[in-house]
Amino acid sequence: MNNLLYHAYLPENHEHHVSLEEVMSGGIKYSTKSNNRYSNGGRVKFEITELLRPSNTPDWINFKEAIGVDITNRFSKSFCFPIFTGKILVFDGDISLSTYDQVFYEDFKDFDEEVLNFDTGETIEYWIKLYWESMMTLEDYLIKKPYSKPEVLLFESVPKEIIQVCEE
């Protein structure tokens, strides 16, 4: 582990592209357009997620303000920065995907036959409970690495001073 986190630096023609100037002058925030490139299972049905929130979770966990990051550089060009906070959590990305699938099915099952393929056979609440149960600190994740597709969420803005561009 190189103690760096990565955030996509997408090409100019990508719908979620953010300019180098914007990131280097303002940092990375939850509202930074490139953040839309990342999944965030806690934001899918936010009201249900909050209703099922375990009582022992820290107040700083706010899925509406989370930033998606990677623990390895998955793109030819990424913004990278050192781990600078403990407000980083990892969730099982497969559970997150199943949550998205079930929500898509529930929202469109009465209008479109093709969404039947997205029915997981479980309720949205079932997936959100599993999502919460999959939550672990980045430190614990790096020791155990239990998820093949980790969903890594940062719950604090990335200061511009620590951001660099990393290329493969």
Side-chain angles (χ1 to χ4, degrees), residues 6-11 14 34 37-38 68-70 72-79 166-168:
Y6 302 88
H7 185 86
Y9 183 6
L10 302 164
H14 194 282
S34 54
R37 156 70 185 75
Y38 290 87
V69 296
D70 296 302
T72 58
N73 189 2
R74 297 186 313 134
F75 301 93
S76 58
K77 198 182 240 188
S78 293
F79 295 108
C166 294
E167 296 186 58
E168 280 190 350

Side-chain angles (χ1 to χ4, degrees), residues 5 67-71 88-91 138 150-154:
L5 296 174
I67 298 168
V69 296
D70 296 302
I71 52 178
I88 304 167
L89 296 174
V90 182
F91 297 85
L138 177 61
E151 180 181 85
V152 185
L153 298 176
L154 171 61

Side-chain angles (χ1 to χ4, degrees), residues 52-65:
L52 298 173
R53 181 185 189 108
S55 59
N56 61 341
T57 56
D59 291 342
W60 51 260
I61 299 174
N62 180 350
F63 292 107
K64 286 185 176 180
E65 297 183 0

Side-chain angles (χ1 to χ4, degrees), residues 16-166:
H16 301 304
H17 169 76
V18 177
S19 71
L20 177 64
E21 294 77 21
E22 181 181 334
V23 169
M24 294 310 211
S25 67
I28 301 172
K29 301 173 180 58
Y30 71 90
S31 57
T32 303
K33 192 164 48 167
S34 54
N35 198 36
N36 295 325
R37 156 70 185 75
Y38 290 87
S39 66
N40 177 343
R43 193 172 53 196
V44 182
K45 283 289 186 183
F46 185 74
E47 297 78 19
I48 298 172
T49 300
E50 284 301 301
L51 189 64
L52 298 173
R53 181 185 189 108
S55 59
N56 61 341
T57 56
D59 291 342
W60 51 260
I61 299 174
N62 180 350
F63 292 107
K64 286 185 176 180
E65 297 183 0
I67 298 168
V69 296
D70 296 302
I71 52 178
T72 58
N73 189 2
R74 297 186 313 134
F75 301 93
S76 58
K77 198 182 240 188
S78 293
F79 295 108
C80 61
F81 46 91
I83 297 171
F84 67 98
T85 179
K87 295 179 179 179
I88 304 167
L89 296 174
V90 182
F91 297 85
D92 186 333
D94 288 327
I95 292 172
S96 183
L97 182 61
S98 293
T99 304
Y100 275 93
D101 285 350
Q102 192 60 37
V103 167
F104 184 67
Y105 168 74
E106 293 289 334
D107 286 351
F108 295 103
K109 66 183 177 187
D110 296 330
F111 311 105
D112 187 351
E113 268 185 40
E114 290 182 28
V115 303
L116 296 177
N117 297 331
F118 292 89
D119 184 6
T120 65
E122 299 292 347
T123 65
I124 294 167
E125 290 81 2
Y126 169 86
W127 290 113
I128 291 174
K129 283 179 188 171
L130 279 185
Y131 183 76
W132 275 117
E133 289 170 12
S134 78
M135 178 179 69
M136 62 175 43
T137 64
L138 177 61
E139 184 178 49
D140 284 346
Y141 176 80
L142 293 173
I143 293 167
K144 300 172 187 171
K145 294 191 179 172
Y147 310 134
S148 59
K149 296 177 189 166
E151 180 181 85
V152 185
L153 298 176
L154 171 61
F155 293 89
E156 189 172 318
S157 294
V158 183
K160 64 184 179 185
E161 297 80 13
I162 66 171
I163 299 172
Q164 298 177 339
V165 175
C166 294

